[in-house]
């Protein structure tokens, strides 16, 4: 059963001069087993959208349901539904609250009613997931870390809750290249192993192309494109550029090669592009 | 060329709430010339932000020296003077804007240091023009895109007429257009206004725009050189948890597979040109 958004409209600061409609009439269904990347210009409504999916914001119009349960109801079923959605916030400092990294990550598992040993296991696993060394970081204050370290604590805290719907709002902002790759490798493994849904908000086109099975492009509070990433990056470049987006670097390299008379097909994987280049050279030498 | 910044054996040890010590900088020596554009890269926790915060005396050395425009940052009397020489721009576009109108926000800094009103007007106009935001002078900041907000933040710093701008991951929260707006703006300020730039980033495509790249690891400078020099060290960068621009990686991979390509390829055009030969 899916996560469902039906005709959702949401306005911030209604009735003030700062009134801003951040989502207008958005309908959307996300199934378990999907990996959905959400891209769009700053202020397009991405964070507002995912905060509806996790029940943090209530729609002014329309409804949000998880597995058929209205997320915004005040009953046990709604609470359980909200707990099945885990979200890593765009700004990790909005999510971090405990005195130590350990306590911060342990909060979710404890809240779920796990015993001390299980909590300890969950914390250790989640720290390994994001590449935080247990002995160096468990006892540190999460507020006195570098930007990237703080983000990893926030991700670990959500992973430890084992959500069925994992929402990541710009998780790689501030992560160094190796941690970026490592976190995505772990997320992919989790996604494949547990068949969860992943909803990834990102400004990194490469991540959208490499990991997602579905791409949503948001602009001005509406979904303007919804499809397979490769198709959107190949056939909708102009719309993407108009929406302040771009195509991934590996697509640009393919375009550059094509423009100079080296015929290659666009692909999200650099290795696949390199293979084509090598074949072209082999063919040329054979002439 | 004259050095704007001279750092000698700089160390910084943070003391955590319960007395734990973290050595974030461990003997950094670095000179930055006036007018230079330096990019700083390095894994999370390698000390980049800690280094940046020394440049305008937000942090003081726990050992060693940091001299900015001839002034020792450790000397209290220099504090205000140093803050006018070196401005900082941070990651989050929403945390840096204080006023309800763009031009008031840009005027905030000069007002604070007592610049006379007529001069403030000129400074604000010049700063907004320099970042290409003149048309938005009367706008409300919260309605701007992330890239525009960051440009307003840069204008706010420019209005103090600094010699140097330090940007700590200014594009981390921006969409692709916002990112290229910021990189373009910074490059222009450096080239046309000769402003010294220290630019921290995890995006190698941005670091590639600098005159010199400093790569940090474990609180030390591990490598430094021109972008072409640094991005030729593919294996060393990987070992540090970093990467290279895509074209440099492709050139490296193809070379491994026996394709003859010269060193120093870092962009798509260069790679394509070599492959077309
Ligand atoms: N306020 C603080 N108290 C204690 N330790 C700190 C504090 N701020 C940073 N540190 C530690 O100092 C080291 C360097 O941190 P710094 O913020 O300079 O890293 P960085 O290179 O900017 O990393 P990032 O890429 O994640 O932003 C890290 O080990 C970090 O945990
Ligand atoms: N707490 C808030 N109060 C008022 N306006 C907001 C708030 N959060 C977001 N907005 C506005 O709503 C719009 C959508 O914002 P957001 O969902 O954060 O976009 P994105 O995540 O795509 O950058 C923007 O115009 C933004 O300024
Ligand atoms: Mg957002
Ligand atoms: Mg930092």
């Amino acid at each position: 059963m899916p996560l469902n958004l039906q005709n959702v409209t949401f306005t911030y600061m209604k009735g003030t001069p700062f009134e801003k409609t951040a989502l207008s009439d958005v309908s959307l269904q996300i199934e378990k087993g999907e990996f959905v990347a959400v891209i769009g210009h700053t202020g397009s409504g991405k964070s507002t959208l995912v905060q509806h999916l996790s029940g943090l914001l209530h729609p002014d119009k329309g409804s949000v349901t998880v597995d058929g349960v209205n997320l915004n109801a005040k009953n046990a079923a709604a609470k359980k539904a909200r707990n099945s959605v885990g979200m890593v916030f765009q700004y990790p400092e909005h999510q971090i609250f405990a005195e130590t990294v350990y306590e911060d990550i342990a909060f979710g598992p404890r809240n779920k009613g796990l015993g001390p040993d299980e909590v300890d296991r969950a914390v250790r696993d989640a720290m390994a997931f994001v590449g935080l060394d247990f002995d160096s970081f468990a006892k540190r204050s999460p507020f006195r870390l570098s930007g990237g370290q703080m983000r990893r604590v926030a991700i670990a805290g959500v992973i430890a809750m084992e959500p069925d719907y994992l929402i990541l709002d710009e998780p790689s902002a501030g992560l160094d290249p190796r941690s970026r790759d490592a976190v995505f490798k772990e997320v992919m493994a989790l996604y494949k192993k547990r068949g969860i849904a992943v909803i990834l908000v990102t400004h990194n086109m490469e991540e959208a192309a490499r990991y997602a099975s579905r791409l949503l492009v948001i602009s001005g509070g509406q979904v303007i494109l919804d499809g397979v990433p490769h198709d959107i990056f190949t056939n909708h470049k102009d719309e993407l550029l108009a929406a302040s987006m771009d195509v991934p670097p590996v697509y640009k390299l393919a375009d550059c090669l094509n423009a100079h008379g080296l015929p290659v097909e666009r692909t999200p994987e650099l290795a696949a592009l390199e293979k084509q280049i090598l074949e072209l050279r082999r063919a040329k030498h054979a002439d | 060329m004259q050095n704007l910044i001279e750092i000698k054996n700089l160390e910084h040890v943070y003391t955590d709430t319960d007395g734990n010590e973290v050595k974030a900088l461990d003997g950094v020596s670095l000179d930055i010339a006036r007018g230079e554009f330096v990019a700083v890269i390095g894994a999370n926790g390698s000390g980049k932000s800690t280094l940046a915060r020394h440049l305008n005396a937000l942090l003081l050395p726990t050992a060693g020296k940091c001299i900015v425009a001839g002034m020792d940052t450790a000397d209290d009397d220099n504090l205000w003077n140093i803050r006018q020489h070196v401005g900082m721009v941070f990651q989050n576009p929403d945390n840096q804007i204080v006023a309800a109108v763009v031009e008031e926000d840009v005027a905030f800094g000069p007002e604070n240091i007592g610049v006379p009103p007529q001069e403030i007007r000129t400074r604000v106009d010049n700063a907004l023009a320099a970042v290409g935001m003149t048309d938005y002078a009367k706008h409300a900041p919260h309605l701007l895109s992330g890239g525009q907000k960051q440009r307003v933040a840069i204008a706010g710093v420019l209005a103090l007429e600094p010699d140097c701008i330090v940007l700590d991951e200014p594009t981390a929260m921006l969409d692709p257009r916002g990112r290229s707006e910021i990189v373009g703006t910074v490059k222009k300020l450096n080239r046309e206004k000769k402003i010294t730039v220290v630019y921290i980033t995890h995006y190698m495509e941005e670091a590639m725009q600098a005159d010199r790249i400093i790569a940090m690891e474990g609180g030390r400078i591990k490598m430094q050189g021109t972008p072409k020099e640094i991005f030729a060290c593919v294996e060393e960068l990987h070992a540090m948890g970093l990467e290279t621009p895509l074209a440099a990686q492709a050139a490296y991979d193809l070379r491994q597979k026996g394709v003859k390509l010269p060193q120093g390829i870092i962009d798509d055009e260069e790679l394509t040109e070599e492959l077309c030969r």
Side-chain angles (χ1 to χ4, degrees), chain A residues 34-69:
Chain A
E34 281 194 293
F35 194 128
V36 184
V38 181
I39 64 174
H41 60 84
T42 56
S44 60
K46 304 179 297 297
S47 294
T48 308
L49 174 75
V50 295
Q51 286 175 75
H52 278 83
L53 294 176
S54 61
L56 288 169
L57 290 176
H58 300 196
D60 293 332
K61 286 200 205 104
S63 67
V64 186
T65 57
V66 174
D67 301 344
V69 177

Side-chain angles (χ1 to χ4, degrees), chain B residues 10-257:
Chain B
L10 177 60
E11 285 189 19
H12 192 88
V13 178
Y14 289 103
T15 310
D16 212 337
T17 30
D18 36 355
N20 296 323
E21 294 195 337
V22 179
K23 193 178 243 185
L25 292 177
D26 186 9
V28 171
S29 294
L30 172 67
D31 291 341
I32 297 176
R34 273 185 196 277
E36 212 182 347
F37 179 172
V38 176
V40 183
I41 60 176
N44 294 138
S46 59
K48 304 178 298 296
S49 299
T50 306
L51 175 64
R53 292 195 177 105
H54 280 80
L55 301 179
N56 75 341
L58 282 174
L59 288 176
L60 297 179
T62 50
K65 282 241 170 290
C66 181
I67 310 287
V68 173
M71 295 174 284
D72 189 337
T73 60
D75 184 345
D76 274 349
D77 295 340
N78 292 332
L79 189 65
W80 286 106
N81 212 344
I82 287 171
R83 298 254 163 100
Q84 286 168 51
H85 278 81
V86 180
M88 293 273 287
V89 176
F90 297 99
Q91 197 182 75
N92 184 343
D94 295 315
N95 285 354
Q96 299 181 70
I97 295 183
V98 290
V101 180
V102 165
E103 60 180 11
E104 286 172 13
D105 193 82
V106 178
F108 184 79
E111 274 165 9
N112 250 355
I113 58 168
V115 175
Q118 322 81 288
E119 200 192 324
I120 291 184
R121 183 74 262 163
T122 327
R123 285 194 187 198
V124 169
D125 292 346
N126 289 345
L128 285 172
V131 299
M133 289 293 288
T134 304
D135 292 347
Y136 294 85
K138 309 273 184 216
H139 277 56
H142 75 277
L143 296 178
L144 302 177
S145 74
Q148 290 170 333
K149 284 179 196 162
Q150 283 298 61
R151 284 191 279 156
V152 172
I154 294 176
V157 166
L158 281 179
L160 292 170
E161 304 193 330
D163 299 319
C164 176
I165 303 186
V166 179
L167 304 102
D168 192 350
E169 299 189 40
T171 60
M173 312 304 306
L174 302 186
D175 58 42
R177 180 181 299 167
R179 244 156 66 194
S180 65
E181 283 172 8
I182 294 307
V183 179
T185 301
V186 167
K187 228 178 144 171
K188 185 162 154 268
L189 293 174
N190 174 256
R191 297 282 182 272
E192 293 174 9
K193 301 208 178 285
K194 308 289 175 231
I195 291 180
T196 309
V197 174
V198 178
Y199 191 103
I200 298 174
T201 185
H202 289 301
Y203 289 105
M204 303 304 141
E205 280 76 13
E206 296 176 3
M208 190 172 117
Q209 307 293 325
D211 299 321
R212 175 162 56 132
I213 297 178
I214 310 279
M216 298 196 58
E217 182 172 60
R220 296 165 186 252
I221 295 176
K222 173 91 176 194
M223 289 198 272
Q224 56 177 313
T226 62
K228 281 188 187 299
E229 288 164 356
I230 294 294
F231 292 131
C233 307
V234 177
E235 286 158 27
E236 291 86 337
L237 288 169
H238 284 180
M240 294 170 71
L242 303 177
E243 59 186 7
T244 64
L246 186 83
Q249 183 65 47
Y252 172 84
D253 295 342
L254 291 170
R255 232 181 265 124
Q256 298 291 92
K257 295 253 160 67

